[in-house]
Short mmCIF file of all heavy atoms in Angstrom, two decimals:
data_model
loop_
_atom_site.label_atom_id
_atom_site.label_comp_id
_atom_site.label_asym_id
_atom_site.label_seq_id
_atom_site.Cartn_x
_atom_site.Cartn_y
_atom_site.Cartn_z
N GLY A 1 13.01 40.71 -5.24
CA GLY A 1 11.85 41.15 -4.60
C GLY A 1 12.05 42.43 -3.81
O GLY A 1 13.16 42.91 -3.67
N ALA A 2 10.95 42.98 -3.35
CA ALA A 2 10.96 44.22 -2.60
C ALA A 2 11.79 44.13 -1.32
O ALA A 2 12.35 45.13 -0.92
CB ALA A 2 9.56 44.65 -2.29
N LEU A 3 11.89 42.95 -0.76
CA LEU A 3 12.65 42.77 0.49
C LEU A 3 14.07 42.34 0.25
O LEU A 3 14.85 42.18 1.20
CB LEU A 3 11.94 41.76 1.38
CG LEU A 3 10.52 42.11 1.85
CD1 LEU A 3 9.96 40.99 2.62
CD2 LEU A 3 10.58 43.37 2.67
N GLY A 4 14.46 42.17 -1.01
CA GLY A 4 15.80 41.79 -1.33
C GLY A 4 16.09 40.33 -1.03
O GLY A 4 17.24 39.92 -0.85
N LEU A 5 15.08 39.50 -0.97
CA LEU A 5 15.26 38.02 -0.68
C LEU A 5 15.14 37.24 -2.00
O LEU A 5 14.41 37.59 -2.91
CB LEU A 5 14.18 37.55 0.26
CG LEU A 5 14.17 38.23 1.67
CD1 LEU A 5 12.96 37.83 2.45
CD2 LEU A 5 15.46 37.88 2.39
N GLN A 6 15.86 36.15 -1.98
CA GLN A 6 15.78 35.20 -3.07
C GLN A 6 14.69 34.13 -2.74
O GLN A 6 14.46 33.89 -1.58
CB GLN A 6 17.14 34.49 -3.30
CG GLN A 6 18.22 35.48 -3.69
CD GLN A 6 17.93 36.17 -4.99
OE1 GLN A 6 17.57 35.57 -5.95
NE2 GLN A 6 18.15 37.49 -4.97
N PRO A 7 14.08 33.52 -3.78
CA PRO A 7 13.05 32.53 -3.48
C PRO A 7 13.48 31.39 -2.53
O PRO A 7 12.68 30.93 -1.73
CB PRO A 7 12.72 31.97 -4.85
CG PRO A 7 13.00 33.10 -5.79
CD PRO A 7 14.26 33.75 -5.18
N ASP A 8 14.77 31.05 -2.59
CA ASP A 8 15.23 29.95 -1.69
C ASP A 8 15.37 30.46 -0.22
O ASP A 8 15.72 29.63 0.66
CB ASP A 8 16.50 29.29 -2.20
CG ASP A 8 17.70 30.23 -2.22
OD1 ASP A 8 17.48 31.48 -2.13
OD2 ASP A 8 18.82 29.73 -2.32
N GLU A 9 15.19 31.74 0.01
CA GLU A 9 15.26 32.29 1.37
C GLU A 9 13.88 32.55 1.97
O GLU A 9 13.75 33.07 3.02
CB GLU A 9 15.98 33.61 1.32
CG GLU A 9 17.44 33.55 0.87
CD GLU A 9 18.08 34.91 0.73
OE1 GLU A 9 17.64 35.69 -0.12
OE2 GLU A 9 19.04 35.11 1.51
N VAL A 10 12.81 32.10 1.23
CA VAL A 10 11.44 32.40 1.65
C VAL A 10 10.67 31.10 1.80
O VAL A 10 10.88 30.12 1.04
CB VAL A 10 10.76 33.27 0.60
CG1 VAL A 10 9.34 33.56 0.96
CG2 VAL A 10 11.56 34.59 0.40
N MET A 11 9.77 31.05 2.79
CA MET A 11 8.85 29.97 2.97
C MET A 11 7.43 30.49 3.19
O MET A 11 7.31 31.50 3.89
CB MET A 11 9.24 29.10 4.18
CG MET A 11 10.51 28.29 3.96
SD MET A 11 10.81 27.21 5.35
CE MET A 11 11.18 28.39 6.61
N MET A 12 6.46 29.87 2.65
CA MET A 12 5.06 30.22 2.92
C MET A 12 4.54 29.13 3.84
O MET A 12 4.52 27.96 3.51
CB MET A 12 4.27 30.26 1.60
CG MET A 12 2.83 30.41 1.75
SD MET A 12 2.44 32.07 2.18
CE MET A 12 0.68 32.03 1.94
N VAL A 13 4.05 29.57 4.98
CA VAL A 13 3.48 28.65 5.98
C VAL A 13 1.97 28.81 5.94
O VAL A 13 1.46 29.98 5.98
CB VAL A 13 4.00 28.98 7.37
CG1 VAL A 13 3.39 27.97 8.38
CG2 VAL A 13 5.50 28.83 7.42
N GLY A 14 1.23 27.78 5.77
CA GLY A 14 -0.20 27.92 5.71
C GLY A 14 -1.01 26.68 6.12
O GLY A 14 -0.44 25.61 6.30
N ASP A 15 -2.28 26.95 6.23
CA ASP A 15 -3.17 25.85 6.67
C ASP A 15 -4.30 25.54 5.67
O ASP A 15 -5.26 24.95 5.98
CB ASP A 15 -3.81 26.26 8.04
CG ASP A 15 -4.71 27.49 7.94
OD1 ASP A 15 -4.74 28.10 6.86
OD2 ASP A 15 -5.33 27.81 8.99
N ASN A 16 -4.09 25.98 4.39
CA ASN A 16 -5.10 25.77 3.39
C ASN A 16 -4.40 25.43 2.05
O ASN A 16 -3.26 25.86 1.85
CB ASN A 16 -5.90 27.05 3.29
CG ASN A 16 -7.19 26.86 2.50
OD1 ASN A 16 -7.17 26.40 1.39
ND2 ASN A 16 -8.32 27.19 3.12
N SER A 17 -5.12 24.81 1.23
CA SER A 17 -4.59 24.43 -0.13
C SER A 17 -4.16 25.69 -0.88
O SER A 17 -3.14 25.67 -1.60
CB SER A 17 -5.63 23.70 -0.90
OG SER A 17 -6.76 24.45 -1.14
N HIS A 18 -4.88 26.80 -0.69
CA HIS A 18 -4.53 28.04 -1.38
C HIS A 18 -3.12 28.54 -1.03
O HIS A 18 -2.43 29.10 -1.83
CB HIS A 18 -5.58 29.12 -1.13
CG HIS A 18 -6.97 28.70 -1.56
ND1 HIS A 18 -7.29 28.41 -2.88
CD2 HIS A 18 -8.04 28.47 -0.82
CE1 HIS A 18 -8.57 28.07 -2.91
NE2 HIS A 18 -9.07 28.11 -1.69
N ASP A 19 -2.80 28.32 0.28
CA ASP A 19 -1.50 28.75 0.71
C ASP A 19 -0.38 27.98 0.05
O ASP A 19 0.65 28.49 -0.40
CB ASP A 19 -1.35 28.61 2.22
CG ASP A 19 -2.40 29.40 2.98
OD1 ASP A 19 -2.67 30.52 2.57
OD2 ASP A 19 -2.90 28.90 4.03
N ILE A 20 -0.59 26.73 -0.06
CA ILE A 20 0.39 25.80 -0.72
C ILE A 20 0.54 26.19 -2.22
O ILE A 20 1.63 26.34 -2.75
CB ILE A 20 0.03 24.35 -0.56
CG1 ILE A 20 0.02 23.97 0.93
CG2 ILE A 20 0.97 23.41 -1.36
CD1 ILE A 20 -0.61 22.63 1.22
N GLN A 21 -0.57 26.34 -2.84
CA GLN A 21 -0.56 26.71 -4.28
C GLN A 21 0.07 28.07 -4.52
O GLN A 21 0.78 28.24 -5.46
CB GLN A 21 -1.98 26.65 -4.83
CG GLN A 21 -2.51 25.24 -4.91
CD GLN A 21 -4.01 25.16 -5.17
OE1 GLN A 21 -4.77 26.05 -4.85
NE2 GLN A 21 -4.42 24.04 -5.76
N ALA A 22 -0.20 29.01 -3.62
CA ALA A 22 0.43 30.35 -3.73
C ALA A 22 1.95 30.24 -3.63
O ALA A 22 2.65 30.88 -4.40
CB ALA A 22 -0.15 31.29 -2.71
N ALA A 23 2.39 29.42 -2.70
CA ALA A 23 3.87 29.27 -2.54
C ALA A 23 4.46 28.61 -3.83
O ALA A 23 5.46 29.07 -4.34
CB ALA A 23 4.17 28.36 -1.37
N GLN A 24 3.79 27.61 -4.36
CA GLN A 24 4.25 26.95 -5.57
C GLN A 24 4.31 27.89 -6.72
O GLN A 24 5.24 27.94 -7.49
CB GLN A 24 3.41 25.72 -5.86
CG GLN A 24 3.57 24.63 -4.84
CD GLN A 24 2.51 23.55 -4.90
OE1 GLN A 24 1.44 23.72 -5.50
NE2 GLN A 24 2.83 22.41 -4.30
N ASN A 25 3.26 28.75 -6.83
CA ASN A 25 3.21 29.73 -7.93
C ASN A 25 4.29 30.76 -7.77
O ASN A 25 4.78 31.29 -8.79
CB ASN A 25 1.85 30.40 -7.99
CG ASN A 25 0.72 29.47 -8.46
OD1 ASN A 25 1.01 28.43 -9.09
ND2 ASN A 25 -0.49 29.78 -8.10
N ALA A 26 4.66 31.06 -6.56
CA ALA A 26 5.72 32.14 -6.29
C ALA A 26 7.10 31.51 -6.36
O ALA A 26 8.11 32.23 -6.34
CB ALA A 26 5.47 32.75 -4.95
N GLY A 27 7.19 30.19 -6.42
CA GLY A 27 8.49 29.54 -6.47
C GLY A 27 9.24 29.53 -5.17
O GLY A 27 10.44 29.48 -5.13
N VAL A 28 8.43 29.48 -4.06
CA VAL A 28 9.06 29.41 -2.74
C VAL A 28 8.58 28.14 -2.06
O VAL A 28 7.61 27.53 -2.46
CB VAL A 28 8.68 30.66 -1.87
CG1 VAL A 28 9.16 31.92 -2.59
CG2 VAL A 28 7.24 30.72 -1.54
N ALA A 29 9.32 27.75 -1.01
CA ALA A 29 8.99 26.54 -0.29
C ALA A 29 7.63 26.69 0.42
O ALA A 29 7.31 27.75 0.95
CB ALA A 29 10.07 26.17 0.74
N SER A 30 6.89 25.61 0.45
CA SER A 30 5.57 25.63 1.14
C SER A 30 5.67 24.72 2.31
O SER A 30 6.19 23.63 2.32
CB SER A 30 4.45 25.13 0.17
OG SER A 30 4.76 23.84 -0.28
N VAL A 31 5.08 25.23 3.43
CA VAL A 31 5.01 24.51 4.69
C VAL A 31 3.56 24.44 5.07
O VAL A 31 2.97 25.44 5.41
CB VAL A 31 5.85 25.16 5.81
CG1 VAL A 31 5.80 24.36 7.09
CG2 VAL A 31 7.27 25.40 5.36
N ALA A 32 3.01 23.23 5.09
CA ALA A 32 1.64 23.04 5.50
C ALA A 32 1.58 22.62 6.95
O ALA A 32 2.43 21.81 7.41
CB ALA A 32 0.95 21.94 4.64
N VAL A 33 0.64 23.18 7.73
CA VAL A 33 0.52 22.84 9.13
C VAL A 33 -0.51 21.76 9.31
O VAL A 33 -1.65 21.90 8.91
CB VAL A 33 0.25 24.08 9.97
CG1 VAL A 33 1.43 25.10 9.88
CG2 VAL A 33 -1.03 24.80 9.61
N GLY A 34 -0.05 20.68 9.93
CA GLY A 34 -0.98 19.50 10.04
C GLY A 34 -2.11 19.68 10.96
O GLY A 34 -3.07 18.86 11.05
N TRP A 35 -2.12 20.75 11.79
CA TRP A 35 -3.25 20.95 12.70
C TRP A 35 -4.37 21.83 12.09
O TRP A 35 -5.25 22.25 12.76
CB TRP A 35 -2.74 21.59 13.99
CG TRP A 35 -2.01 22.88 13.80
CD1 TRP A 35 -2.55 24.15 13.76
CD2 TRP A 35 -0.61 23.08 13.62
NE1 TRP A 35 -1.60 25.09 13.55
CE2 TRP A 35 -0.37 24.45 13.47
CE3 TRP A 35 0.50 22.19 13.59
CZ2 TRP A 35 0.87 24.99 13.26
CZ3 TRP A 35 1.76 22.74 13.41
CH2 TRP A 35 1.94 24.10 13.23
N ALA A 36 -4.29 21.99 10.76
CA ALA A 36 -5.36 22.74 10.06
C ALA A 36 -6.67 22.06 10.20
O ALA A 36 -6.78 20.83 10.45
CB ALA A 36 -4.93 22.82 8.62
N PHE A 37 -7.71 22.82 9.99
CA PHE A 37 -9.05 22.35 10.17
C PHE A 37 -9.31 21.08 9.32
O PHE A 37 -9.92 20.10 9.76
CB PHE A 37 -10.14 23.41 9.81
CG PHE A 37 -11.54 22.97 9.84
CD1 PHE A 37 -12.17 22.75 11.04
CD2 PHE A 37 -12.22 22.71 8.68
CE1 PHE A 37 -13.47 22.33 11.14
CE2 PHE A 37 -13.55 22.31 8.71
CZ PHE A 37 -14.16 22.11 9.94
N ARG A 38 -8.85 21.09 8.07
CA ARG A 38 -9.12 19.95 7.14
C ARG A 38 -8.15 18.83 7.37
O ARG A 38 -8.32 17.75 6.83
CB ARG A 38 -9.05 20.46 5.75
CG ARG A 38 -10.22 21.36 5.40
CD ARG A 38 -10.24 21.76 4.00
NE ARG A 38 -11.53 21.42 3.41
CZ ARG A 38 -11.88 21.68 2.23
NH1 ARG A 38 -11.01 22.25 1.40
NH2 ARG A 38 -13.09 21.40 1.81
N GLY A 39 -7.09 19.03 8.14
CA GLY A 39 -6.18 17.98 8.45
C GLY A 39 -5.02 17.75 7.50
O GLY A 39 -5.03 18.20 6.35
N PRO A 40 -4.02 16.99 7.96
CA PRO A 40 -2.81 16.77 7.15
C PRO A 40 -3.07 15.93 5.88
O PRO A 40 -2.40 16.11 4.86
CB PRO A 40 -1.84 16.07 8.04
CG PRO A 40 -2.70 15.50 9.17
CD PRO A 40 -3.91 16.42 9.27
N GLU A 41 -4.00 15.01 5.95
CA GLU A 41 -4.27 14.18 4.76
C GLU A 41 -4.76 15.05 3.59
O GLU A 41 -4.36 14.84 2.43
CB GLU A 41 -5.33 13.10 5.10
CG GLU A 41 -4.88 12.07 6.05
CD GLU A 41 -4.94 12.56 7.50
OE1 GLU A 41 -5.67 13.54 7.79
OE2 GLU A 41 -4.20 12.00 8.39
N TYR A 42 -5.62 16.01 3.90
CA TYR A 42 -6.13 16.91 2.84
C TYR A 42 -4.96 17.75 2.25
O TYR A 42 -4.82 17.84 1.07
CB TYR A 42 -7.22 17.80 3.43
CG TYR A 42 -7.64 18.92 2.49
CD1 TYR A 42 -8.48 18.65 1.43
CD2 TYR A 42 -7.18 20.23 2.69
CE1 TYR A 42 -8.85 19.64 0.55
CE2 TYR A 42 -7.54 21.23 1.80
CZ TYR A 42 -8.39 20.94 0.72
OH TYR A 42 -8.72 21.92 -0.13
N LEU A 43 -4.20 18.35 3.12
CA LEU A 43 -3.11 19.22 2.70
C LEU A 43 -2.04 18.44 1.92
O LEU A 43 -1.49 18.99 1.00
CB LEU A 43 -2.50 19.93 3.90
CG LEU A 43 -3.44 20.95 4.54
CD1 LEU A 43 -2.72 21.53 5.79
CD2 LEU A 43 -3.78 22.08 3.61
N SER A 44 -1.82 17.19 2.25
CA SER A 44 -0.75 16.43 1.59
C SER A 44 -1.12 16.23 0.05
O SER A 44 -0.18 16.02 -0.72
CB SER A 44 -0.51 15.12 2.26
OG SER A 44 -1.62 14.28 2.16
N GLN A 45 -2.39 16.30 -0.26
CA GLN A 45 -2.79 16.15 -1.69
C GLN A 45 -2.17 17.22 -2.58
O GLN A 45 -2.04 17.05 -3.76
CB GLN A 45 -4.26 16.28 -1.80
CG GLN A 45 -5.09 15.21 -1.09
CD GLN A 45 -6.55 15.56 -1.24
OE1 GLN A 45 -7.12 15.31 -2.33
NE2 GLN A 45 -7.19 16.02 -0.22
N PHE A 46 -1.81 18.36 -1.98
CA PHE A 46 -1.30 19.47 -2.75
C PHE A 46 0.23 19.58 -2.81
O PHE A 46 0.81 20.52 -3.30
CB PHE A 46 -1.93 20.75 -2.18
CG PHE A 46 -3.43 20.76 -2.30
CD1 PHE A 46 -4.15 20.35 -1.23
CD2 PHE A 46 -4.03 21.12 -3.50
CE1 PHE A 46 -5.54 20.26 -1.33
CE2 PHE A 46 -5.43 21.05 -3.58
CZ PHE A 46 -6.18 20.63 -2.51
N ALA A 47 0.87 18.51 -2.30
CA ALA A 47 2.32 18.30 -2.35
C ALA A 47 3.11 19.48 -1.76
O ALA A 47 3.96 20.07 -2.42
CB ALA A 47 2.73 18.02 -3.81
N PRO A 48 2.85 19.85 -0.51
CA PRO A 48 3.65 20.85 0.10
C PRO A 48 5.10 20.37 0.24
O PRO A 48 5.35 19.16 0.35
CB PRO A 48 3.01 21.04 1.46
CG PRO A 48 2.38 19.75 1.81
CD PRO A 48 1.93 19.23 0.44
N ASP A 49 6.03 21.29 0.29
CA ASP A 49 7.44 20.88 0.48
C ASP A 49 7.63 20.28 1.86
O ASP A 49 8.45 19.38 2.02
CB ASP A 49 8.31 22.09 0.29
CG ASP A 49 8.37 22.62 -1.12
OD1 ASP A 49 8.69 21.80 -2.04
OD2 ASP A 49 7.99 23.79 -1.32
N TYR A 50 6.89 20.78 2.83
CA TYR A 50 7.02 20.30 4.16
C TYR A 50 5.56 20.19 4.73
O TYR A 50 4.76 21.05 4.42
CB TYR A 50 7.80 21.27 5.11
CG TYR A 50 9.19 21.50 4.57
CD1 TYR A 50 9.44 22.63 3.78
CD2 TYR A 50 10.27 20.66 4.83
CE1 TYR A 50 10.68 22.90 3.28
CE2 TYR A 50 11.51 20.89 4.34
CZ TYR A 50 11.73 22.02 3.58
OH TYR A 50 13.01 22.29 3.11
N LEU A 51 5.37 19.13 5.57
CA LEU A 51 4.14 19.01 6.31
C LEU A 51 4.50 18.83 7.74
O LEU A 51 5.13 17.80 8.10
CB LEU A 51 3.30 17.85 5.74
CG LEU A 51 1.99 17.54 6.50
CD1 LEU A 51 1.06 18.71 6.43
CD2 LEU A 51 1.31 16.30 5.88
N ILE A 52 4.21 19.81 8.60
CA ILE A 52 4.60 19.79 9.96
C ILE A 52 3.38 19.52 10.88
O ILE A 52 2.27 19.82 10.47
CB ILE A 52 5.36 21.03 10.39
CG1 ILE A 52 4.44 22.29 10.32
CG2 ILE A 52 6.62 21.24 9.57
CD1 ILE A 52 5.09 23.54 10.88
N HIS A 53 3.70 18.91 12.02
CA HIS A 53 2.59 18.56 12.95
C HIS A 53 2.75 19.29 14.31
O HIS A 53 1.90 19.17 15.15
CB HIS A 53 2.59 17.05 13.16
CG HIS A 53 2.40 16.33 11.88
ND1 HIS A 53 1.17 16.17 11.29
CD2 HIS A 53 3.26 15.71 11.06
CE1 HIS A 53 1.27 15.50 10.15
NE2 HIS A 53 2.55 15.20 10.00
N ASP A 54 3.87 20.06 14.41
CA ASP A 54 4.09 20.77 15.63
C ASP A 54 4.89 22.03 15.26
O ASP A 54 5.75 21.97 14.40
CB ASP A 54 4.98 19.88 16.58
CG ASP A 54 5.18 20.54 17.90
OD1 ASP A 54 6.15 21.37 18.01
OD2 ASP A 54 4.45 20.26 18.85
N PRO A 55 4.57 23.16 15.86
CA PRO A 55 5.27 24.43 15.50
C PRO A 55 6.79 24.35 15.66
O PRO A 55 7.52 24.98 14.92
CB PRO A 55 4.65 25.47 16.46
CG PRO A 55 3.33 24.93 16.83
CD PRO A 55 3.49 23.46 16.83
N ASP A 56 7.21 23.54 16.62
CA ASP A 56 8.70 23.40 16.81
C ASP A 56 9.39 22.87 15.54
O ASP A 56 10.54 23.13 15.32
CB ASP A 56 9.01 22.48 17.99
CG ASP A 56 8.71 23.13 19.30
OD1 ASP A 56 8.66 24.39 19.38
OD2 ASP A 56 8.39 22.38 20.32
N GLU A 57 8.65 22.10 14.75
CA GLU A 57 9.24 21.59 13.53
C GLU A 57 9.62 22.70 12.54
O GLU A 57 10.59 22.63 11.82
CB GLU A 57 8.29 20.60 12.80
CG GLU A 57 8.08 19.36 13.58
CD GLU A 57 7.09 18.44 12.88
OE1 GLU A 57 7.41 17.82 11.86
OE2 GLU A 57 5.91 18.43 13.31
N LEU A 58 8.86 23.79 12.57
CA LEU A 58 9.16 24.94 11.71
C LEU A 58 10.47 25.54 12.08
O LEU A 58 11.29 25.95 11.24
CB LEU A 58 8.01 25.94 11.77
CG LEU A 58 8.18 27.21 10.89
CD1 LEU A 58 8.31 26.77 9.39
CD2 LEU A 58 6.99 28.07 11.07
N VAL A 59 10.72 25.67 13.37
CA VAL A 59 12.00 26.18 13.87
C VAL A 59 13.17 25.38 13.31
O VAL A 59 14.15 25.92 12.84
CB VAL A 59 12.02 26.22 15.39
CG1 VAL A 59 13.40 26.66 15.93
CG2 VAL A 59 10.94 27.18 15.95
N GLY A 60 13.01 24.05 13.34
CA GLY A 60 14.06 23.17 12.79
C GLY A 60 14.31 23.40 11.33
O GLY A 60 15.43 23.40 10.87
N ILE A 61 13.25 23.63 10.58
CA ILE A 61 13.40 23.81 9.17
C ILE A 61 14.09 25.17 8.87
O ILE A 61 15.02 25.23 8.07
CB ILE A 61 12.00 23.84 8.43
CG1 ILE A 61 11.38 22.44 8.50
CG2 ILE A 61 12.09 24.30 7.04
CD1 ILE A 61 9.93 22.38 8.12
N VAL A 62 13.68 26.18 9.57
CA VAL A 62 14.31 27.52 9.39
C VAL A 62 15.80 27.45 9.77
O VAL A 62 16.63 27.97 9.05
CB VAL A 62 13.57 28.55 10.24
CG1 VAL A 62 14.35 29.89 10.25
CG2 VAL A 62 12.15 28.77 9.68
N GLU A 63 16.10 26.85 10.93
CA GLU A 63 17.49 26.75 11.33
C GLU A 63 18.34 25.95 10.33
O GLU A 63 19.48 26.33 10.01
CB GLU A 63 17.62 26.13 12.72
CG GLU A 63 17.10 27.05 13.83
CD GLU A 63 17.15 26.42 15.21
OE1 GLU A 63 17.29 25.18 15.32
OE2 GLU A 63 16.98 27.19 16.15
N ALA A 64 17.84 24.90 9.79
CA ALA A 64 18.55 24.10 8.86
C ALA A 64 18.80 24.88 7.55
O ALA A 64 19.93 24.87 7.06
CB ALA A 64 17.77 22.79 8.54
N LYS A 65 17.81 25.63 7.14
CA LYS A 65 17.98 26.45 5.93
C LYS A 65 19.02 27.57 6.20
O LYS A 65 19.83 27.88 5.37
CB LYS A 65 16.63 27.07 5.46
CG LYS A 65 15.74 26.07 4.80
CD LYS A 65 14.42 26.69 4.34
CE LYS A 65 14.62 27.55 3.10
NZ LYS A 65 14.77 26.92 1.88
N ARG A 66 18.97 28.14 7.36
CA ARG A 66 19.88 29.23 7.74
C ARG A 66 21.33 28.73 7.73
O ARG A 66 22.27 29.45 7.39
CB ARG A 66 19.53 29.79 9.09
CG ARG A 66 20.40 30.97 9.45
CD ARG A 66 20.09 31.56 10.81
NE ARG A 66 18.74 31.89 10.95
CZ ARG A 66 18.05 31.97 12.04
NH1 ARG A 66 18.58 31.61 13.21
NH2 ARG A 66 16.76 32.31 12.11
N ASN A 67 21.53 27.49 8.20
CA ASN A 67 22.86 26.92 8.26
C ASN A 67 23.31 26.26 6.94
O ASN A 67 24.37 25.63 6.92
CB ASN A 67 22.91 25.90 9.43
CG ASN A 67 22.70 26.56 10.75
OD1 ASN A 67 23.13 27.69 11.00
ND2 ASN A 67 22.03 25.84 11.67
N GLY A 68 22.50 26.37 5.92
CA GLY A 68 22.86 25.88 4.61
C GLY A 68 22.61 24.37 4.46
O GLY A 68 22.95 23.82 3.46
N ALA A 69 22.01 23.71 5.49
CA ALA A 69 21.67 22.32 5.37
C ALA A 69 20.36 22.14 4.67
O ALA A 69 19.52 23.01 4.66
CB ALA A 69 21.61 21.69 6.77
N ALA A 70 20.22 21.00 4.02
CA ALA A 70 18.91 20.67 3.37
C ALA A 70 18.06 20.10 4.45
O ALA A 70 18.30 18.97 4.90
CB ALA A 70 19.12 19.75 2.22
N PRO A 71 17.01 20.83 4.88
CA PRO A 71 16.12 20.24 5.91
C PRO A 71 15.37 19.01 5.35
O PRO A 71 15.10 18.90 4.17
CB PRO A 71 15.12 21.35 6.19
CG PRO A 71 15.36 22.41 5.23
CD PRO A 71 16.62 22.09 4.44
N THR A 72 15.06 18.12 6.26
CA THR A 72 14.31 16.93 5.85
C THR A 72 12.89 17.31 5.51
O THR A 72 12.30 18.21 6.14
CB THR A 72 14.33 15.85 6.94
OG1 THR A 72 13.77 16.38 8.12
CG2 THR A 72 15.69 15.34 7.20
N ARG A 73 12.32 16.69 4.53
CA ARG A 73 10.97 17.02 4.09
C ARG A 73 10.02 15.92 4.48
O ARG A 73 10.36 14.84 4.64
CB ARG A 73 10.92 17.24 2.60
CG ARG A 73 11.72 18.42 2.28
CD ARG A 73 11.82 18.65 0.75
NE ARG A 73 12.68 19.76 0.49
CZ ARG A 73 12.35 20.80 -0.24
NH1 ARG A 73 11.14 20.78 -0.83
NH2 ARG A 73 13.12 21.78 -0.45
#
């Protein structure tokens, strides 16, 4: 890519089904935010890689990926 990143180094964070689908189409990890207007139940239908309920959870996912650990999904 233009930024020199590999797909496993990228995550798409979003609050809509389109965000999750865009991440899946791009071959990158998708992170759905549970505080979205439509709620976590709606977003979970689109099988995001991660569904977080607090912004601090995103920090944990990024740190785990940076350290080479497989973050919990």
Side-chain angles (χ1 to χ4, degrees):
L3 298 176
L5 298 172
Q6 298 299 313
D8 65 343
E9 298 175 296
V10 177
M11 291 184 291
M12 171 74 168
V13 180
D15 64 354
N16 194 305
S17 60
H18 302 296
D19 300 323
I20 298 166
Q21 292 169 332
Q24 293 166 341
N25 290 340
V28 301
S30 58
V31 182
V33 297
W35 57 88
F37 176 74
R38 294 184 125 178
E41 295 79 20
Y42 171 77
L43 292 174
S44 67
Q45 298 176 74
F46 299 94
D49 293 301
Y50 304 95
L51 178 59
I52 63 173
H53 302 281
D54 184 276
D56 289 335
E57 292 177 78
L58 182 59
V59 174
I61 293 168
V62 171
E63 288 178 348
K65 286 182 72 76
R66 183 182 305 153
N67 294 327
T72 58
R73 296 175 181 233

